[in-house]
Each structure stands twice: as structure tokens, then as C-alpha cells.
């Protein structure tokens, strides 16, 4: 067990990190990510800090429901994504930015079919994210806008792994999972538990879902899923190495308020309409960087030899910073993500990484390190 964003969470279970990681790739694993706070829409149901009165632990990743006829305008005043274009049930990864163009957090925003937006953000950013959301809602409410926030205490379970996940979950669904594409969600009954939101997404690069489940039935649902031999419990260690192999950023390591979407290689999160309107925080800074080209770029790198990359380990010969790194269970070599000067960011470029004061030859490679298995319905 290790401390994480105010919680104590499992690093790994009895099988160990390596076996857990590989099992997720070959079968499927269940991750308890209930530290991700879910927020819905009506702030009057929250306590003074914005959380329900019965929540006594510090919140984790924020799950927010945003209600009201002005909910899209509210959300687009804070994030870079084109929320208006989302179809019912469709979600998108987007970025909460500040006035300097820095990334305050990365979020998934879903246009829920129940006339609200469902927003999930990161554990370490829950307090600041909710403060930003509440302050902006109050500003719009003061001018007559119709927008309301609500906090949910649902648990959140992530079932991840190709191809077993779909088979395991379908056995407990009346809905046809084959019709649910990546980044889309439905509200349904899962193994007899009604009112679950099933979103086809995850943080492993595999086909997977996140299930928002009423807290009182979470253990029941988890036990039903774990009753299938293919399903193992997995902890933070596997979650981190899986996301790194899939080339997925970790907030606080690979992106933060000092990094802009242009520098992070995340300009694909900005829709054409939003780029033209330039109506999100930091738009002038971000679009100027796009025109002038960022001086640094994100890169992936790999090398063989001992050692896990410590955070902020410097390169030799090329100026840059390592932001995430670990031994890859699937590839049998060390992998890392970081930033280098744009002129030295081409795949195949050789460089040197320093690990525990020893230098190792490495090469810039393409991401993801391991091909992703996201599911798109036909």
C-alpha cells in the first residue's frame, strides 16, 4: 500500500507487478479507481468544500456532472475541446488550461444522454479543479446563466484487457457491448446492479471500460467480476507501466501548468472551431506557439541495461528532461517519455540517459511503445 493524492492505494496484489501487467495485456484486470471523485450537477447538495457532507476522505480524481441549458458554454469557457459537437453518449479527452496556456489538468468530458455533461479528472487535481469549476459556475450564474454542478460518491471500477474484457462484461449486460465504441458510454445494469455508467475507455491501451457504480453495490459488483478466473485485481504499479507502454501522459509528470498543449503534442485535442474562436483560457499563447513552432517536443525513448529512470533525469549531449520511465514488461527493455529540443526530436536520434549517475545509450523511438487495442464499433 502506498500514499497517492491523499489516499492509501495498493501498489500491487499477490501476483506481483510483472505478472499483473502481463495478465492485463493477455487477459484482463480489475482496477479499483474509486479515488476518482465523480461530480454531477447540483451544488446545493454539497458541503462548504463542494463535496457531499458524507464524504470524509480527501477526494481523488474528480467525477463531475454539469447540468443546465448553458452547460456546454460553461465547459467550453474552461477547456480547449469542442464539447458542442459531442453526440449523446460520446466523450472526448480535453485539457483544462490557464491564462498562460499551461495545462491545469486533462479531463474526459462526456455528453451524457441524460441531459448533463459527465466530467472525469485526476486525483491529484481534484481540489483545484473543483474550485475552478465552482468559481466559473458562480460567475455565469451571476449573469443569469443556467449551470449547476453535482458531486457523486459513486465508486469507479476499471475492467481492462483485450480480448477478455468484452466477454466477461457482456455476460452481465443486457445491452450489446459490441455497439459501444471507444470513448462512448451508456447507463445500464451490470450483473444485476442498476444505474451504472459504463464508459469504453481506460488507461492501459487495451480495450476496457470504466464502470461508475453506486457505492453501496461496488463490492458486490467487484466480487462478481473477480469470480471469473480471467479477472485479476491490479494496482498502481501495473497501471503506471501499462499507461507508459501505451504512450499515455501522467498529469504531474509528463504535463503540468508549465507545459502547453502545443509543447505536449496535444494540439489534436483542439477542434477546428475552437482554434478559430480562440475563446478558451490561454488561447493567444497556445496559438502563437503553434504558428512559431514549440522549442521543445515530447519524445519516447528506449534502451537496454540496468536501471529505472528517475524523474527529471537529465540527458547527456542533448538538452532535455525525462518525465516518466520504467522497465517495460512487454518489451524487455527500459522505456521513458520526456522533452527535448525540437531540433533533436526525430525518431532514431541517439542520446544518453543518466541513471543513478551512470550513463546509458538510448534512442528516440515512436509512441506508443506497445500497439493500443482501442475498440471501434463497426
Amino acid at each position: 500500500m502506498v500514499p497517492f493524492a491523499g489516499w492509501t492505494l495498493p501498489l500491487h496484489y499477490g501476483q506481483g507487478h510483472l505478472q499483473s501487467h502481463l495478465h492485463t495485456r493477455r487477459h484482463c484486470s480489475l482496477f479499483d479507481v474509486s479515488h476518482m471523485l465523480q461530480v454531477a450537477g447540483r451544488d446545493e447538495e454539497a458541503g462548504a468544500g463542494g463535496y457531499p457532507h458524507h464524504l470524509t476522505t480527501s477526494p481523488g480524481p474528480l467525477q463531475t456532472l454539469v447540468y443546465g441549458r448553458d452547460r456546454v458554454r460553461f465547459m467550453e469557457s474552461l477547456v480547449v475541446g469542442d464539447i458542442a459537437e459531442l453526440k449523446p453518449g460520446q466523450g472526448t479527452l480535453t485539457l483544462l488550461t490557464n491564462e498562460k496556456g499551461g495545462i491545469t489538468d486533462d479531463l474526459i468530458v462526456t455528453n451524457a444522454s441524460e441531459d448533463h455533461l459527465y466530467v472525469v479528472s485526476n486525483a491529484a487535481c481534484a481540489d483545484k479543479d473543483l474550485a475552478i469549476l465552482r468559481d466559473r459556475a458562480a460567475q455565469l450564474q451571476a449573469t443569469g446563466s443556467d449551470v449547476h454542478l453535482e458531486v457523486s460518491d459513486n465508486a469507479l471500477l476499471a475492467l481492462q484487457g483485450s480480448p477478455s474484457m468484452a466477454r466477461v462484461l457482456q455476460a452481465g449486460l443486457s445491452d450489446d457491448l459490441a455497439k459501444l465504441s471507444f470513448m462512448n458510454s451508456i447507463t445500464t445494469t451490470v450483473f444485476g446492479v442498476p444505474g451504472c455508467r459504463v464508459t469504453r475507455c481506460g488507461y492501459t491501451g487495451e480495450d476496457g471500460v470504466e464502470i461508475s457504480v453506486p457505492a453501496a453495490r461496488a463490492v458486490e459488483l467487484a466480487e462478481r467480476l473477480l469470480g471469473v478466473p480471467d479477472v485479476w485485481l491490479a494496482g498502481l504499479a501495473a497501471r503506471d507501466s501499462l499507461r507508459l507502454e501505451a504512450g499515455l501522459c501522467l498529469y504531474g509528470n509528463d504535463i503540468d501548468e508549465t507545459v502547453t498543449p502545443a509543447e505536449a503534442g496535444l494540439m489534436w485535442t483542439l477542434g477546428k472551431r475552437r482554434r478559430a474562436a480562440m475563446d478558451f483560457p490561454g488561447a493567444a499563447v497556445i496559438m502563437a506557439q503553434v504558428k512559431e513552432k514549440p522549442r521543445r517536443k515530447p519524445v519516447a525513448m528506449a534502451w537496454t541495461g540496468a536501471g529505472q529512470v528517475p524523474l527529471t533525469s537529465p540527458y547527456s549531449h542533448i538538452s532535455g528532461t525525462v518525465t516518466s520511465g520504467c522497465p517495460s514488461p512487454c518489451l524487455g527493455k527500459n522505456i521513458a517519455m520526456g522533452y527535448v529540443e525540437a531540433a533533436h526530436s526525430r525518431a532514431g536520434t541517439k542520446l544518453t540517459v543518466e541513471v543513478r549517475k551512470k550513463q546509458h545509450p538510448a534512442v528516440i523511438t515512436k509512441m506508443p511503445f506497445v500497439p493500443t487495442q482501442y475498440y471501434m464499433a463497426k
Side-chain angles (χ1 to χ4, degrees):
M1 302 294 286
V2 295
F4 181 81
W7 297 77
T8 300
L9 298 179
L11 188 64
H12 58 79
Y13 293 87
Q15 298 89 356
H17 167 226
L18 177 62
Q19 292 81 5
S20 180
H21 178 113
L22 294 175
H23 185 85
T24 308
R25 292 272 187 248
R26 296 166 181 169
H27 301 283
C28 68
S29 297
L30 183 66
F31 299 79
D32 179 4
V33 289
S34 299
H35 58 288
M36 301 177 81
L37 187 70
Q38 302 168 68
V39 183
R42 296 182 176 80
D43 204 35
E44 62 267 22
E45 296 180 9
Y51 305 114
H53 297 290
H54 57 276
L55 281 183
T56 56
T57 54
S58 65
L62 190 66
Q63 298 178 64
T64 310
L65 309 184
V66 185
Y67 290 94
R69 64 177 180 273
D70 297 312
R71 61 189 181 276
V72 171
R73 182 165 67 90
F74 160 78
M75 206 70 229
E76 288 193 349
S77 72
L78 296 171
V79 302
V80 303
D82 193 337
I83 308 305
E85 75 171 1
L86 295 176
K87 299 175 182 178
Q90 184 181 18
T92 185
L93 177 71
T94 189
L95 305 172
L96 188 69
T97 50
N98 59 32
E99 294 300 332
K100 295 182 179 179
I103 301 172
T104 302
D105 199 6
D106 58 312
L107 324 170
I108 293 179
V109 178
T110 299
N111 178 16
S113 56
E114 300 88 351
D115 297 326
H116 63 267
L117 299 176
Y118 175 60
V119 184
V120 179
S121 56
N122 286 296
C125 302
D127 288 325
K128 70 174 182 179
D129 286 0
L130 189 55
I132 291 170
L133 293 172
R134 294 182 71 213
D135 287 349
R136 183 57 178 154
Q139 292 171 10
L140 291 179
Q141 288 164 356
T143 62
S145 295
D146 179 24
V147 60
H148 308 281
L149 309 180
E150 186 176 289
V151 178
S152 164
D153 64 348
N154 274 13
L156 195 64
L157 303 174
L159 187 66
Q160 300 284 304
S162 313
S164 296
M165 181 284 297
R167 176 180 55 80
V168 170
L169 189 61
Q170 186 61 73
L173 290 183
S174 57
D175 295 87
D176 185 359
L177 195 61
K179 296 180 179 179
L180 189 67
S181 284
F182 179 62
M183 294 304 292
N184 283 262
S185 72
I186 53 172
T187 299
T188 187
T189 297
V190 183
F191 285 102
V193 180
C196 295
R197 176 167 292 279
V198 176
T199 305
R200 202 152 197 167
C201 67
Y203 200 44
T204 63
E206 297 296 320
D207 183 20
V209 295
E210 291 184 350
I211 308 170
S212 178
V213 53
R217 311 277 309 262
V219 172
E220 172 190 344
L221 179 55
E223 288 177 341
R224 289 292 302 271
L225 293 169
L226 291 169
V228 180
D230 263 8
V231 183
W232 289 7
L233 276 169
L236 284 179
R239 187 169 168 84
D240 190 54
S241 55
L242 287 161
R243 70 92 189 170
L244 184 54
E245 285 186 344
L248 301 174
C249 294
L250 175 64
Y251 191 85
N253 284 30
D254 310 302
I255 52 175
D256 57 31
E257 294 191 13
T258 69
V259 180
T260 69
E263 293 172 320
L266 293 172
M267 287 302 295
W268 58 268
T269 63
L270 278 73
K272 183 177 180 180
R273 177 178 64 85
R274 302 305 309 280
R275 294 187 189 212
M278 294 183 61
D279 55 355
F280 51 87
V285 175
I286 294 168
M287 297 312 297
Q289 282 189 343
V290 172
K291 184 177 181 179
E292 298 166 3
K293 305 297 181 183
R295 295 181 180 178
R296 58 175 176 169
K297 286 189 175 182
V299 294
M301 68 209 76
W303 71 99
T304 56
Q308 178 175 337
V309 179
L311 299 183
T312 68
S313 172
Y315 298 116
S316 296
H317 314 307
I318 297 176
S319 176
T321 306
V322 172
T323 54
S324 290
C326 72
S328 166
C330 289
L331 301 179
K333 55 186 174 183
N334 298 299
I335 59 173
M337 295 167 59
Y339 292 89
V340 299
E341 297 167 352
H344 302 292
S345 61
R346 186 183 299 273
T349 299
K350 295 180 180 180
L351 45 78
T352 303
V353 293
E354 185 177 293
V355 184
R356 299 187 184 93
K357 298 184 179 180
K358 293 184 178 181
Q359 294 186 347
H360 300 268
V363 62
I364 293 177
T365 185
K366 294 181 179 180
M367 284 194 285
F369 296 99
V370 173
T372 56
Q373 303 292 329
Y374 304 132
Y375 175 81
M376 303 304 297
K378 296 180 180 179

